[in-house]
């Protein structure tokens, strides 16, 4: 695709580097910005640059934060004895949106993936162990809330092995089963099998 | 969706204003930028701002350009007696990519759309008529290359009526090799190229 302007070519090139955005979509976005008023573009450019350069990570849980400690870790009303280990900040947002969890988090920053060259040392695993074994540690339970993919399972397995060093800390993982509202007949066999094996007795 | 950081919330909000990008996709893009090195974000922000503030439009054909006249209008080897009228710059790029057209262009900047409140006065129609009736005008043929949608057909009909004032100028439209209701920019190059070569003269 040849462009009549170097400026638009650069903008399209940079936009097309984003995941899931090809050159045609990038061009559509660029033309949208050209049609909209200049504020739209300057606000976008400013917000992106500000985010990238001013963002900080919570020193405790490695969640994204505007301050040294994120609002969840700084919240004294939350249960600091339960730590939910997640892959990235999107998982924190998803779990927070359920409104069902009162504990705190630990963001790994990814999963172990030999293919992509990501080993345990590239993730925030040591800080998690330090957090658990710290002298003033309140941690009584670590919940592994990691997506059940190949890499996710490897990561969970590794974490379980490392966390076994601390027998006073319970390790749990989020329940696997049929999604609420899901059709039984369309569930895959492994999920359905696990949901039968790990069935839960109903309160009477 | 609640975010742990105002900075990321702003960035996601601005990204989600782009067409076809919802808040989940916006968050994915923001997190991608946070993971990538800082250059990725600064290059993107700079390219967007530079494009928006420095871009110029060709004084002759209203195509996007880095200079007062776009490279197509400034090219003496092109056939300045044939003007291809298109809706926006994406159509210019698409037609240029076919390599089948040697004439020049006129970019309307949209189509007549009463629903969106876009009338003939909002498009570069008067400049087209001025271009045709100018004393030093070389224009012998105007090709209407407008997507055959409802609004596109309305625009083509309006243009045909206005151009009838100049009986010495032929009016043609691209051959309907393109499916009715389809968008010009998504047509494959062979179909689009043929539709330029086999353009049909309109009955007066």
């Amino acid at each position: 695709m040849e462009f009549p302007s170097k400026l638009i070519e650069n903008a399209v090139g940079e936009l097309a580097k984003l995941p899931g955005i090809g050159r045609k979509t990038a061009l559509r976005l660029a033309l949208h910005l050209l049609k909209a008023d200049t504020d739209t573009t300057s606000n976008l450019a400013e917000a992106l640059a500000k985010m990238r350069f001013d963002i900080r990570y919570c020193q405790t849980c490695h969640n994204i934060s505007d301050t040294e400690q994120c609002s969840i870790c700084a919240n004294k009303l939350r249960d600091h004895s339960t730590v939910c280990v997640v892959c990235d900040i999107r998982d924190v947002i998803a779990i927070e949106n359920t409104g069902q969890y009162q504990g705190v988090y630990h963001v790994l920053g990814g999963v172990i993936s030999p293919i992509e060259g990501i080993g345990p040392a590239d993730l925030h695993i040591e800080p998690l162990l330090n957090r658990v074994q710290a002298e003033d540690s309140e941690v009584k339970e670590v919940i592994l809330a990691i997506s059940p993919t190949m890499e996710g399972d490897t990561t969970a397995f590794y974490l379980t092995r490392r966390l076994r060093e601390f027998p006073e800390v319970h390790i749990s993982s989020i329940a696997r089963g049929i999604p609420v509202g899901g059709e039984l007949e369309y569930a895959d066999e492994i999920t359905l099998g696990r949901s039968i094996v790990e069935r839960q007795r109903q309160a009477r």
Side-chain angles (χ1 to χ4, degrees), chain A residues 16-149:
Chain A
K17 284 181 190 166
L18 295 171
I21 295 186
R23 287 178 75 79
K24 277 208 172 177
T25 308
L27 180 59
R28 198 158 59 96
L29 298 181
L31 291 178
H32 167 85
L33 289 175
L34 282 178
K35 274 205 179 175
D37 54 19
T38 51
D39 279 358
T40 310
T41 308
S42 50
N43 288 347
L44 173 63
E46 227 169 81
L48 291 181
K50 235 178 138 57
M51 172 192 75
R52 186 62 188 88
F53 289 96
D54 294 354
I55 205 98
R56 296 164 77 173
Y57 294 89
C58 173
Q59 289 191 322
T60 312
C61 73
H62 299 274
N63 191 6
I64 280 164
S65 169
D66 290 342
T67 46
E68 270 196 15
Q69 259 209 331
C70 74
S71 55
I72 295 172
C73 286
N75 187 345
K76 293 235 189 313
L77 294 173
R78 296 193 73 126
D79 173 14
H80 287 257
S81 70
T82 312
V83 175
C84 182
V85 178
V86 293
C87 171
D88 73 23
I89 159 208
R90 274 180 291 182
D91 302 328
V92 175
I93 294 172
I95 295 176
E96 281 300 287
N97 280 343
T98 68
Q100 301 279 321
Y101 182 63
Q102 294 306 317
V104 291
Y105 294 92
H106 191 89
V107 179
L108 291 179
V111 280
I112 296 171
S113 170
I115 292 172
E116 291 179 44
I118 301 170
D122 300 314
L123 307 175
H124 303 303
I125 291 179
E126 287 308 318
L128 172 66
L129 300 173
N130 293 339
R131 208 172 151 184
V132 169
Q133 70 191 336
E135 258 180 40
D136 58 345
S137 166
E138 311 169 53
V139 182
K140 288 190 188 119
E141 183 178 359
V142 171
I143 307 174
L144 302 179
I146 300 170
S147 296
T149 57

